[in-house]
Amino acid sequence: MQQQDRVAGADFLRAAACLLVLIHHLILRIDLNKTEGLRPTLTALRFGNFGVAIFFILSGFLLALPFWRSLHAGCAMPDLRTYVLRRAARIVPGYWVALTAGFILSITLLGHALTPELVMRYVSGLVFMSQWHWRTFFPVEGNGPLWSISFEVASYVLLPLGFLWLFAIPEKRRSPLVTRLAWLGIIAVTLLAHETFRTLVPPNEIDRGWQYGMQGGAKEWMPNYNPVGFFAVFALGTLAAGIQIMLPRKHQIWFDIVALACLVTAGSQLPLSTGGPWEAYGWLGIPYAFPLFPAMIAVALVALSRSVLLAALLDNTFMRFTATVSFGIYIWQDIVLTSMQTISPAIFGIGEDHPLRDWFIGCIFATAITFLLASFSYFAVERQAIRRAARITRKNSAITQYS
């Protein structure tokens, strides 16, 4: 995204999402029964997995903006070749490197046998098709968070398909209200498809549960975790982008108030979810307190884009840098944590003497290494692909314009 196209507040939310997920995985490394007075706080922060929903809202919002702008201006649908190339450049190189590193880690340090099953999972991850079955849900053993990347790719495909319907509406009837209501219809159809998926493809109960490893965990999550249900979260972000396009561009203080209220309400869902399942299932079994949590994030994003002070405060230097390398933080954190814990189990407070202190020190080292790896991933791998894609799309646009 170019500087002039930057959406105020988006950097903060992206950074917050990746930090929440990192905190979630750090807390998984300690026995909460040994944390004494900090247990309620750490238990609430264990719901940092809600950061995944923030990523989906953000992606749905930012990727939909060009479609809504074209629709609003009565123009043709944005070039899908440009859309595909830029999406591929943004995620494929870094993801493939992290996926391969996780695969190598699983058959070396983690000691998993190189079976056809393990290879099948890896290949399904390479082609972004791991999201449709519990056997391939986690494409590698050594990098758990990569499950959501294929889920996002499914949403990337469904987004333009939804807009094809909106652009098919005759221009005389294509009012802002009609197109937004049409997108609400897409969300309704998505929820119906999600419920159909849950009904038709439930996993069996054999070896189902996290005590049976990652594939047992995948069977525990599915069918509630499926790409159609996650597109409903993504589509809420898309709807928010459509609403933002309709708003006047003037910044007003009441947007700050709305944004703050929504962020507080969304944040309160973490402690309110304690006592229930870690997935915080909401309507129709969709995780992360759906629809309240993602709806609050979506409204906050719209309000922050028109705020007077709040977005500027939240989009500070640290949060902007974290947002820049956030993809790397997400795809490398589990490799760092798993490697450290395998090499030295006591590093995250597994010992009996000072578990909380040891865990905290381990968290500092793990976070520092993760940020370093993420920075290297962005500047050495991701940014190069992004810039090359930008050059290609600019060149193609110029050729089209003057041909």
Side-chain angles (χ1 to χ4, degrees):
M1 195 188 315
Q2 300 298 318
Q3 185 69 25
Q4 63 267 28
D5 297 329
R6 189 182 295 274
V7 175
D11 281 342
F12 164 75
L13 287 173
R14 188 181 303 281
C18 79
L19 292 175
L20 280 171
V21 174
L22 176 59
I23 290 170
H24 162 77
H25 285 106
L26 289 170
I27 292 175
L28 287 179
R29 265 70 187 180
I30 189 172
D31 183 354
L32 292 175
N33 293 319
K34 298 179 180 180
T35 57
E36 300 175 355
L38 286 177
R39 183 177 179 181
T41 301
L42 294 177
T43 301
L45 289 174
R46 164 65 174 76
F47 287 90
N49 52 356
F50 279 45
V52 174
I54 300 177
F55 278 127
F56 274 79
I57 289 292
L58 268 172
S59 292
F61 184 98
L62 297 174
L63 295 182
L65 281 175
F67 292 92
W68 284 120
R69 286 169 180 158
S70 295
L71 198 65
H72 206 65
C75 301
M77 190 166 168
D79 181 32
L80 293 184
R81 292 171 300 178
T82 298
Y83 172 80
V84 170
L85 180 60
R86 289 184 174 178
R87 281 295 84 205
R90 183 65 191 92
I91 67 168
V92 170
Y95 167 74
W96 276 355
V97 173
L99 179 74
T100 302
F103 180 70
I104 294 171
L105 179 68
S106 67
I107 60 177
T108 54
L109 186 62
L110 300 184
H112 291 276
L114 184 58
T115 62
E117 179 94 359
L118 208 65
V119 173
M120 177 187 69
R121 290 165 60 185
Y122 171 65
V123 172
S124 70
L126 280 176
V127 297
F128 301 99
M129 290 299 292
S130 61
Q131 68 274 47
W132 296 104
H133 197 276
W134 63 264
R135 291 181 66 183
T136 56
F137 187 100
F138 292 104
V140 291
E141 287 286 333
N143 200 341
L146 296 187
W147 68 266
S148 71
I149 305 301
S150 291
F151 275 62
E152 277 223 39
V153 169
S155 290
Y156 298 161
V157 173
L158 293 172
L159 176 71
L161 291 179
F163 273 105
L164 281 172
W165 180 46
L166 269 61
F167 277 89
I169 299 173
E171 195 168 341
K172 291 182 179 179
R173 300 180 182 178
R174 202 188 294 171
S175 69
L177 179 60
V178 167
T179 52
R180 276 61 176 182
L181 288 176
W183 193 262
L184 274 175
I186 289 174
I187 294 176
V189 171
T190 300
L191 292 174
L192 179 61
H194 161 76
E195 187 61 18
T196 302
F197 187 97
R198 283 211 310 161
T199 302
L200 296 180
V201 292
N204 59 50
E205 296 299 322
I206 300 172
D207 294 340
R208 189 179 188 186
W210 287 101
Q211 66 272 26
Y212 298 106
M214 294 183 78
Q215 284 190 292
K219 292 182 78 172
E220 177 73 23
W221 276 2
M222 293 194 83
N224 289 335
Y225 279 63
N226 68 76
V228 179
F230 272 78
F231 180 67
V233 179
F234 188 96
L236 282 178
T238 299
L239 179 63
I243 293 171
Q244 191 238 34
I245 292 294
M246 297 170 62
L247 295 176
R249 299 189 66 83
K250 185 178 180 181
H251 292 241
Q252 296 180 333
I253 194 66
W254 70 267
F255 282 112
D256 295 67
I257 298 171
V258 171
L260 182 61
C262 289
L263 290 175
V264 170
T265 302
S268 70
Q269 296 309 298
L270 276 67
L272 289 176
S273 298
T274 58
W278 296 120
E279 296 81 7
Y281 294 117
W283 286 4
L284 303 179
I286 298 175
Y288 314 133
F290 179 87
L292 181 58
F293 180 82
M296 288 298 99
I297 295 298
V299 175
L301 184 55
V302 173
L304 284 170
S305 71
R306 296 293 188 268
S307 70
V308 177
L309 297 172
L310 188 58
L313 291 173
L314 296 178
D315 285 342
N316 53 63
T317 302
F318 171 74
M319 297 304 270
R320 284 199 167 181
F321 174 77
T322 303
T324 298
V325 300
S326 60
F327 186 65
I329 293 173
Y330 188 82
I331 63 177
W332 285 102
Q333 59 180 273
D334 204 48
I335 285 181
V336 172
L337 298 176
T338 302
S339 298
M340 289 176 64
Q341 192 168 27
T342 302
I343 294 170
S344 179
I347 198 167
F348 289 114
I350 303 300
E352 296 293 334
D353 296 335
H354 303 285
L356 191 58
R357 182 202 66 187
D358 294 343
W359 171 79
F360 185 72
I361 294 172
C363 288
I364 292 174
F365 279 107
T367 301
I369 295 170
T370 300
F371 265 80
L372 286 172
L373 271 176
S375 300
F376 178 80
S377 175
Y378 177 76
F379 291 107
V381 180
E382 300 165 41
R383 188 171 66 169
Q384 308 308 316
I386 294 168
R387 288 179 171 178
R388 177 156 181 78
R391 287 194 297 269
I392 293 171
T393 53
R394 283 196 299 268
K395 181 179 179 181
N396 290 344
S397 177
I399 291 172
T400 302
Q401 182 177 356
Y402 294 106
S403 61

